[in-house]
Amino acid sequence: MEITEAIDKVLNAKKELEAAWDGNPLPSFILNNDLKILRCNASATELFQTSFFQLIGKDFVNLFWKEEIQEEIRSSWIRRAGKSSFPVILSRLNGSFQILSQSISNDQRVLYIVNLDSIRVPENREEEVRLKLALESGQSGVWDFSLRLGKAYFSPEYVRMLGFEVEHFPQNFSHWETLVHWEDREQIRTLFENYLNGHIDSHDTEIRMFTRSGKSIWVWSRGKVVERDENDLPIRVVGTHIDITERKKTEIRTAAVIDIGQKSSLLEKEISIFNLALSYSLQLTESNWGKIRLIRDEVIEKEFGLYKIRNQSSSEYLPIEPTTVFPRILREMSLKFFLRENEYFELLLYNKRTEFEEIDYKEVELLGTELVQILIRKRTEDLLLTSEWNLQSIVECSPNGILILVNGQIQFFNRSSEILLLQNKNQMKNKKVSEVFGFLNGDDPFEFIQNLSNNGFAPDQNVIEKNIILSNGQKKWVSFWAIEIIYNGEVSLLVYLNDLSRAKDTETQLLQSEKLASIGQLAAGVAHEINNPMAFISSNLETMKRYHKILSHYFEKAKIELSRYSADPNVLEMINEWEKADISNILSDTSEMLDESIDGASRVVSIVSNIKSFAHVNKEENFTRCNLNEIVTSAINISQHNIKYYSIVEFNVANELLEISCHPQELGQVIINLIVNAGHAIEEKKEHGLFPDSQGEMPGKIEINTKLCILENNKQYAEIKIKDNGIGIPEELQSRIFDPFFSTKEIGEGTGLGLSISMDIIRKHKGKIELESVRCAGTTFSIYLPTHQED
């Protein structure tokens, strides 16, 4: 019995709740997570003028809001959880509404719609005062808020400014708040909180309001506290609103032009400038998305766009991607702006909440016109900057030094001039040219350049070569060319400097090489001429030695026979003359002299042969395969006469050393040069008395070794190591010994070209020379030559 009563009570409660639900004057709905209508009450069917069955299953967003904001509402509503309340604009129904929503389960929510037009503030005796204030304000819209009661008064001018009819505009704060632009709503709530808390007595600000049609306008809002309670806290605020939309859009457009101009001056790319202009166009017209197409010869070259998304309290513009999906186009604005005769850009704006107005076209056209001028100016500036950069690059990359002089002071210089004149960066700026370099004859450099600039403008007519001395004392050969120009509004001198030092060195090397070649040819010719007489001299000496041997043998036998007849006075006289003339010793000495002459003649023949081999001109440019040991042996033989008095040579041959590709005469020249230098170092050390006494008359030792080795690049090289125990090379001079014309010998004892030429020869053979030297201990030169040369 108790269970039956409980069931009856539950059923009765259910009927009461259903009756309350159906009798609720507020249109009520239950929605699922997809915002589809699961249930609604009778007030809801009255609101939409349809039946219950036609509403069930409908998408509430599509049913209630206008199409242009459905996606915006859907995305923002799905994010809401728990209780929420928000005003409604651009609904499909007439009137102003507030929506109250609350989740009742994980997949359902209950929704109430409040028609704010039905809420009216009763008129009172203060209305006349407010009307008078409205009249005194002229075109201003007057409002009067009761802060604690939420009551409000809005003057007829104010109501008409928002597009409403005076008799249908709800006189309450809740309705008014729904018309404040959602980006400014938080600002307004904070403003009135400050009024309520007594933090401010007045305000003066700019906000946006929605009109009845959904259009937004800018208003200038001013207000002041006119009534306080017993605690001196504000309870009533009165103020005015003035429509400043046109002025505000002009300000936004002006700010856009300034911003775009600044971006263009910062060398921003055109696409960045276009996107900035597009974002301002969207802001001016309150469109949801837009595009810019850059068209040349009626062909779209570029197309890019932005779309607006709504955050909590602001809008953000994001670039349109290929995957971006947009609702269908409802409203469109299209404008063309010509940059050149065959080039223009098309500005397309889409889906404003309301129809595009004349002021929208006007502001966007003005902005587009300014953008055209900015882009044309930017392109011109970019061309000038590019030309200037190209010119500067040409000047900076020029191998010639370039100076610009004003009254003898250097106002401009390029990198090549810094390198040529050995000056650090910016070290020459505003310096007198005479402080940077001078002439050996004492001439003033500026006077010389002035006179040079007056000789003519053709470079081949007034180029003069001079030997200059730099500020650090180094000397260089430089060619000068100068003309008069205007630089920064002043008469200036443009000077071209060309470093001729290397060319002069090369010229001297060529002369020296030609001289050496001539000497070599002369030596080869002399050797050839010597070779002929040496042939019969050697032959005659051999014959004389043979004759001498016969005569000596005959004379010795004759002496023995004469001794047997010594009693004969005549024979005795002959024997005495033999002894007196010491004929036996003469015969013996003559034999030794002939042996020495024959040996000397052989050595002359050998030397002539080596000279001919060394001095032979190599007419083939290609390398030939030669035995390196034979080249070294020939070089030792040729240089022997320069070192034989103080040094001995030890040559350790690598038997496995294969033939290498080379110019044998050139390699022989290198090895001779190193051996002779080693001999001079040993001689100098002996002259300074630096050898120990125990080393005797020939203290010098030159070790020459050849072998095969593998270097770090895993290639096979032939190594020639020439080591001496001479005076050595000071450490501070070791980096300069291969420089042309550098020599440690006295003037007249060397040209300073030997090691420089040797280095060039080894480099030509794709090899390298390494140096190790210790002062007073000796020097080692290591030559590495690849055993196989690439073609």
Side-chain angles (χ1 to χ4, degrees), residues 672-684 727 729-730 733 737 741-755 781:
I672 290 172
N673 186 40
L674 294 178
I675 293 174
V676 170
N677 284 349
H680 291 165
I682 292 171
E683 183 179 352
E684 182 179 352
I727 193 69
I729 302 171
L733 300 181
I737 62 170
F741 306 106
F742 177 79
S743 176
T744 58
K745 299 183 179 70
E746 296 293 332
I747 296 175
E749 293 186 6
T751 63
L753 287 172
L755 288 177
F781 283 93

Side-chain angles (χ1 to χ4, degrees), residues 291-308:
K291 291 182 179 179
I292 286 182
R293 293 175 181 151
L294 189 60
I295 301 171
R296 183 175 296 161
D297 295 326
E298 299 303 325
V299 177
I300 299 176
E301 289 195 341
K302 294 179 183 177
E303 181 174 294
F304 38 85
L306 299 174
Y307 67 97
K308 181 171 68 175

Side-chain angles (χ1 to χ4, degrees), residues 14 76 128 137 183 186-187 190 278 322 331 344 405 463 546 554 600 629 677:
K14 181 182 178 184
S76 63
E128 291 183 6
S137 300
E183 289 187 15
E186 191 62 35
Q187 175 189 351
T190 302
L278 182 56
R331 300 178 183 89
Y344 64 91
L405 309 180
V463 174
R546 190 172 65 254
Y554 176 79
N629 290 331
N677 284 349

Side-chain angles (χ1 to χ4, degrees), residues 3 41 53 85 97 102 118 249 254 272 411 414 418 421 445 477 502 549-550 578 612 626 672 754 762 779:
I3 295 175
N41 64 0
F53 298 103
S85 173
F97 302 92
Q102 181 175 357
S118 63
K249 288 195 174 185
T254 303
S272 300
Q411 298 299 311
N414 67 344
E418 293 179 24
L421 300 175
W477 275 97
R502 185 177 294 273
K549 186 176 181 180
I550 295 171
W578 180 289
K612 287 179 68 178
C626 297
I672 290 172
I762 298 302
T779 300

Side-chain angles (χ1 to χ4, degrees), residues 289 433 445 493 741 770:
W289 55 293
V433 68
L493 293 176
F741 306 106
E770 292 182 354

